[in-house]
Amino acid sequence: NYLIIVGSVLLYTCVYLYVYSADSFSKETFICNFRVWVFSLGYTICFAVILSKTWRIYYIFNNPTAKKKTITDWILVVVIMIVVIIDLSILFLGTAIPESRLTAVGIFDAEHEITITSDGIKHENHIYVCTR
């Protein structure tokens, strides 16, 4: 149950990362890739916990003999960790290969192109978009 909470917190954190707008190219590139990690890990943890609990119920009740079968919580944690390690390895490979890494691209804001501050400094507004 606590692992579902951890996965849910990661997924809720991901929402805030999608709303956050960075002020520089390097920060936005980092956030683009970090969003993918947080969302994927949160979803994988939640899904793996539900999958392992369902597997335990199936294993116990799909018993043609009258023999008692039990699966401890530690076995479920091991199953969850195996799924998370697989997901982490896929995420690591996706981030390590330059062609699959996300980068931020600055697009000029057509609605608010140039802003002049009270000091007389011109500021060009732009929006960062994540792309491959």
Side-chain angles (χ1 to χ4, degrees), residues 27-120:
K27 285 182 187 177
E28 188 66 31
T29 300
F30 173 76
I31 290 173
C32 287
N33 289 301
F34 190 63
R35 278 185 227 163
V36 173
W37 279 72
V38 171
F39 179 78
S40 183
L41 285 176
Y43 183 79
T44 301
I45 290 171
C46 287
F47 183 75
V49 170
I50 294 169
L51 180 70
S52 64
K53 287 182 178 187
T54 305
W55 173 69
R56 175 167 53 183
I57 292 170
Y58 170 78
Y59 184 77
I60 291 171
F61 287 109
N62 192 21
N63 186 4
T65 63
K67 212 165 71 170
K68 183 180 178 183
K69 293 182 175 181
T70 59
I71 296 177
T72 62
D73 289 339
W74 287 108
I75 294 173
L76 296 180
V77 170
V78 169
V79 170
I80 293 166
M81 288 300 130
I82 289 171
V83 173
V84 169
I85 288 171
I86 291 170
D87 186 40
L88 282 173
S89 63
I90 292 170
L91 284 170
F92 180 73
L93 285 175
T95 305
I97 299 171
E99 290 82 21
S100 65
R101 201 175 305 143
L102 292 174
T103 57
V105 176
I107 300 173
F108 287 104
D109 189 2
E111 188 174 334
H112 307 96
E113 293 180 13
I114 298 176
T115 305
I116 300 175
T117 62
S118 61
D119 299 336

